[in-house]
């Protein structure tokens, strides 16, 4: 069960209408290392991972939905006042004719989200290493997105999200150690 | 369609919201840390203290700006306040 809270995890502000930047941000909305993939990856892996690390997968997976909402808010705010001509100039004409200004789970290049972005091997270490890699890739993407804009308000939100990926990666590395310790102990029983 | 019963968001809305976002962020961070460090007593104490501290802020916010949560986790005035704007992406 999930309960919705009517607030963002961190304030999202943008200082101008910028549909081009909105398009780039879709990489973290419906891209391979984006927030949707992250949330679904961790929550799906919960069922078959040892009890000791279910909590961290559950909670990071839940936080990723809060991040997905922040990205959606950025995209929404960056495009809500854009004219069709501005969308066209930003390379969003093909998006506009299909979706108007609706958000769509796709990456910056317009490729729709697919379940093949996420892995579930059933092996705890293989799954956790995948999660660490996903966090590192998301962190890198956030840095490149920050590099692509001069909007300091938008950068502030993106920096928050970049820092969260570092924390998530750290927690997943600790989960790896918890699994390894547990296996070490079992061998002596 | 405008909502007549709810005051428009004002400066205080943002101040209270940000205050709550700060506490709740610390709680998320402590929660994740405790998931992998369940024996860290200091963090558990801090977690419990912040869980207490958020209660009056939530109450104050909801009194003026409506429920933060649905499904029975907050009371409602008349008419039902939950579906009323603003939603988080609109402010
Ligand atoms: Fe993450």
């Amino acid at each position: 069960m999930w309960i919705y809270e009517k607030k963002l995890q961190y304030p999202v502000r943008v200082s101008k209408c910028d549909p081009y930047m909105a398009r780039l941000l879709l990489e973290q909305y419906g891209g391979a290392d984006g927030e949707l993939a992250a949330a679904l990856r961790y929550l799906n892996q919960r069922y078959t991972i040892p009890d000791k690390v279910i909590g961290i997968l559950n909670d990071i997976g839940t936080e990723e939905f809060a991040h997905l909402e922040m990205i959606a808010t950025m995209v929404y705010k960056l495009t809500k006042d854009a004219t069709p001509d501005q969308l066209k100039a930003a390379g969003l004409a093909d998006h506009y004719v299909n979706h108007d200004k609706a958000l769509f789970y796709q990456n910056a290049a317009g490729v729709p989200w697919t379940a093949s972005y996420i892995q579930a091997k059933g092996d705890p270490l293989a799954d956790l290493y995948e999660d660490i890699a996903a966090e590192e890739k998301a962190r890198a993407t956030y840095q490149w997105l920050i590099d692509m804009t001069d909007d300091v308000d938008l950068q502030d939100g993106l920096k928050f999200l970049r820092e969260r990926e570092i924390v998530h990666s750290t927690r997943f590395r600790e989960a790896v150690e918890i699994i390894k310790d547990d296996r070490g102990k079992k061998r002596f029983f | 369609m405008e909502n007549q019963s709810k005051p428009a968001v004002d400066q205080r809305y943002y101040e209270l919201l940000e205050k709550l976002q700060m506490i709740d962020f610390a709680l998320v961070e402590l929660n994740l840390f405790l998931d992998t460090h369940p024996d860290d007593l200091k963090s558990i104490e801090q977690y419990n203290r912040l869980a207490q501290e958020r209660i009056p802020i939530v109450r104050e916010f909801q009194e003026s700006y409506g429920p933060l949560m649905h499904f029975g986790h907050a009371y409602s005035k008349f008419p039902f306040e939950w579906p009323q704007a603003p939603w988080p992406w609109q402010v």
Side-chain angles (χ1 to χ4, degrees):
Chain A
M1 175 82 193
W2 273 269
I3 309 290
Y4 184 70
E5 214 177 349
K6 220 180 203 176
K7 68 175 175 49
L8 297 179
Q9 189 189 13
Y10 183 88
V12 165
R13 297 188 186 98
V14 306
S15 56
K16 59 185 173 189
C17 172
D18 187 352
Y20 182 68
M21 197 57 209
R23 179 182 150 188
L24 299 182
L25 285 169
L26 291 178
E27 192 62 37
Q28 283 305 93
Y29 193 65
D33 309 313
E35 302 292 354
L36 179 70
L40 298 181
R41 179 186 297 114
Y42 309 145
L43 294 174
N44 180 62
Q45 288 174 355
R46 289 181 303 170
Y47 303 101
T48 50
I49 207 111
D51 283 3
K52 277 193 168 172
V53 299
I54 292 177
I56 192 66
L57 280 171
N58 183 79
D59 297 343
I60 292 180
T62 299
E63 189 186 352
E64 304 295 10
F65 277 123
H67 298 170
L68 186 67
E69 189 181 36
M70 284 178 64
I71 295 289
T73 300
M74 289 172 184
V75 172
Y76 169 74
K77 288 187 172 185
L78 290 168
T79 54
K80 71 179 166 59
D81 300 321
T83 63
D85 275 347
Q86 284 175 306
L87 293 171
K88 195 173 166 187
L92 282 167
D94 42 7
H95 184 96
Y96 179 72
V97 297
N98 193 4
H99 307 290
D100 193 341
K101 287 182 193 170
L103 277 75
F104 189 67
Y105 289 116
Q106 61 189 13
N107 71 9
V111 180
W113 188 87
T114 161
S116 61
Y117 289 156
I118 61 180
Q119 304 294 316
K121 200 46 75 177
D123 177 281
L125 290 181
D127 282 349
L128 287 167
Y129 285 134
E130 140 115 354
D131 302 344
I132 294 165
E135 293 294 335
E136 296 299 332
K137 287 186 281 181
R139 173 188 54 75
T141 305
Y142 277 121
Q143 185 56 55
W144 297 331
L145 285 168
I146 291 163
D147 295 344
M148 293 307 282
T149 181
D150 56 3
D151 179 339
V152 289
D153 287 327
L154 180 61
Q155 281 179 340
D156 184 60
L158 291 171
K159 283 176 185 169
F160 171 84
L161 293 168
R162 180 191 63 192
E163 296 310 301
R164 295 313 294 152
E165 309 303 1
I166 296 169
V167 172
H168 292 174
S169 174
T170 305
R171 298 284 94 89
F172 283 135
R173 286 164 204 265
E174 291 160 356
V176 164
E177 295 311 311
I178 290 170
I179 298 284
K180 283 184 185 168
D181 279 0
D182 227 36
R183 284 185 176 177
K185 271 181 213 144
K186 273 187 191 133
R187 227 167 276 148
F188 299 107
F189 283 157
Chain B
M1 241 184 359
E2 289 298 311
N3 293 299
Q4 297 91 355
S5 55
K6 188 185 290 292
V9 299
D10 50 18
Q11 192 52 36
R12 195 167 143 269
Y13 171 94
Y14 291 102
E15 282 165 14
L16 279 173
L17 185 63
E18 209 156 314
K19 214 164 146 188
L20 186 58
Q21 282 167 326
M22 277 162 70
I23 288 198
D24 283 355
F25 174 68
L27 280 162
V28 167
E29 187 67 331
L30 283 162
N31 194 147
L32 297 190
F33 178 80
L34 283 163
D35 285 344
T36 54
H37 305 77
D39 303 325
D40 193 295
L41 182 61
K42 277 230 152 34
S43 298
I44 296 170
E45 285 167 355
Q46 204 183 349
Y47 180 87
N48 289 336
R49 192 171 59 244
L50 289 172
Q52 276 290 328
E53 276 178 31
R54 80 183 294 281
I55 294 171
I57 301 167
V58 167
R59 194 183 297 132
E60 197 185 344
F61 182 91
Q62 294 189 141
E63 197 53 47
S64 302
Y65 306 107
L68 277 163
M69 295 179 96
H70 55 174
F71 296 163
H73 290 262
Y75 298 110
S76 181
K77 294 173 190 158
F78 181 91
F80 195 49
E81 291 177 286
W82 174 255
Q84 294 175 17
W87 292 86
W89 52 93
Q90 296 170 333
V91 295

